[in-house]
């Protein structure tokens, strides 16, 4: 799996969770997953370096775990070969949802309050999510290299309900367009090209507005 394929897999999950109210920005979540795993999705689906700790099974994490060697930084000194016990999940989404539960702790108040990816990556370090002093820099470099902030923008863009859009189009815009088109034809038949052109311009504007509504509601334009 390439890093681009990894991002394409994780990105939609991170985005959907943010839309549901997750405190973690998609760009930060994707970058963290990429940093913690090196771009590899293991069968235990722990993409965020979440250890077993003293936690209890909670319905999302069912108590399964795996053990591997890792490294930590203690008092500024890197220590290799540290035995770590990681939570194992049935799917990636469960991993992220369990992490969101962790971020509800008061310890991570500043993570939840962060308004930008750069602020949130720094708060992850400050609040002690990782012992690596370069954690913020590494996350920010990944966000920049892969232009991950586009996933944040996707969440921020409101999506108009398709039913509402179609109601506006069918109830008001379509009749108005038909009326203007009929008047244009009448003007053309009367040989009044100036008036016909004016009606056509107004009809084109309504058509453009209708397509903007379709675009905003995720529908194909006509």
């Amino acid at each position: 799996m390439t890093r681009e394929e990894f991002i394409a897999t994780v990105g939609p999950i991170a985005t959907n969770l943010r839309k549901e109210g997750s405190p973690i920005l998609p760009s930060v979540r994707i970058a963290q997953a990429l940093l913690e795993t090196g771009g590899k999705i293991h069968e235990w689906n722990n993409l965020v370096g979440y250890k077993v700790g003293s936690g209890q099974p909670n319905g999302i994490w069912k108590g399964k775990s795996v053990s591997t060697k890792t490294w930590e930084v203690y008092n500024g000194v890197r220590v290799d070969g540290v035995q770590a016990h990681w939570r194992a999940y049935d799917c990636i989404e469960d991993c992220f949802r369990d992490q969101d539960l962790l971020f509800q702790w008061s310890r991570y108040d500043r993570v939840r309050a962060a308004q930008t990816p750069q602020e949130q990556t720094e708060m992850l370090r400050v609040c002690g999510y990782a012992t690596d002093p370069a954690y913020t820099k590494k996350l920010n470099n990944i966000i920049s290299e892969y232009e991950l902030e586009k996933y944040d923008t996707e969440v921020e863009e409101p999506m108009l309900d398709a039913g509402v859009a179609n109601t506006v189009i069918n109830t008001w815009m379509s009749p108005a367009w038909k009326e203007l088109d009929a008047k244009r034809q009448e003007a053309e038949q009367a040989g009044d090209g100036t008036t016909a052109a004016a009606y056509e311009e107004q009809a084109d504007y309504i058509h453009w507005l209708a397509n903007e509504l379709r675009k905003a509601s995720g529908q194909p334009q006509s």
Side-chain angles (χ1 to χ4, degrees):
M1 174 178 284
T2 66
R3 290 198 161 199
E4 287 73 18
E5 290 170 338
F6 180 93
I7 292 170
T9 300
V10 174
I13 301 172
T15 300
N16 288 335
L17 289 176
R18 179 66 174 179
K19 288 178 179 178
E20 292 179 11
S22 170
I24 303 302
L25 292 164
S27 61
V28 175
R29 174 149 272 163
I30 299 166
Q32 186 180 52
L34 191 54
L35 177 61
E36 293 285 352
T37 65
K40 181 177 181 179
I41 299 178
H42 296 283
E43 61 183 10
W44 54 88
N45 292 310
N46 188 333
L47 273 59
V48 297
Y50 196 173
K51 296 174 182 175
V52 171
S54 59
Q56 298 296 317
N58 54 26
I60 298 175
W61 175 56
K62 300 180 174 71
K64 296 185 292 184
S65 66
V66 297
S67 298
T68 68
K69 294 292 181 68
T70 186
W71 60 270
E72 302 285 356
V73 176
Y74 301 119
N75 299 318
V77 178
R78 172 169 169 154
V79 178
D80 293 307
V82 178
Q83 190 72 33
H85 306 286
W86 314 99
R87 299 187 180 204
Y89 300 95
D90 294 335
C91 63
I92 296 171
E93 184 176 328
D94 283 353
C95 170
F96 290 153
R97 288 188 182 280
D98 195 28
Q99 187 189 37
D100 282 348
L101 292 179
L102 172 69
F103 287 135
Q104 294 306 312
W105 295 6
S106 59
R107 169 182 174 178
Y108 295 105
D109 284 348
R110 287 175 290 179
V111 172
R112 296 196 308 274
Q115 298 297 308
T116 67
Q118 292 71 30
E119 183 182 355
Q120 192 160 71
T121 56
E122 174 64 2
M123 289 305 103
L124 283 170
R125 184 192 66 79
V126 170
C127 293
Y129 188 87
T131 61
D132 184 358
Y135 201 66
T136 299
K137 183 178 180 180
K138 290 177 180 178
L139 290 177
N140 288 342
N141 286 343
I142 292 172
I143 291 172
S144 176
E145 180 179 356
Y146 295 99
E147 301 179 341
L148 297 182
E149 288 188 60
K150 63 186 177 185
Y151 288 94
D152 301 336
T153 303
E154 180 181 337
V155 172
E156 293 167 0
E157 292 178 349
M159 181 66 74
L160 177 66
D161 181 81
V164 173
N166 290 334
T167 296
V168 173
I169 293 170
N170 295 331
T171 305
W172 290 285
M173 290 186 165
S174 183
W177 182 90
K178 290 178 181 178
E179 182 179 354
L180 288 168
D181 189 56
K183 289 182 177 180
R184 176 191 60 79
Q185 294 181 48
E186 290 177 3
E188 286 181 345
Q189 291 173 2
D192 188 349
T194 300
T195 301
Y199 284 134
E200 183 176 14
E201 183 177 355
Q202 293 176 54
D204 286 344
Y205 179 67
I206 290 177
H207 184 256
W208 174 80
L209 284 176
N211 273 332
E212 287 299 300
L213 286 175
R214 293 186 182 99
K215 188 195 313 183
S217 57
Q219 302 180 84
Q221 302 179 48
S222 67

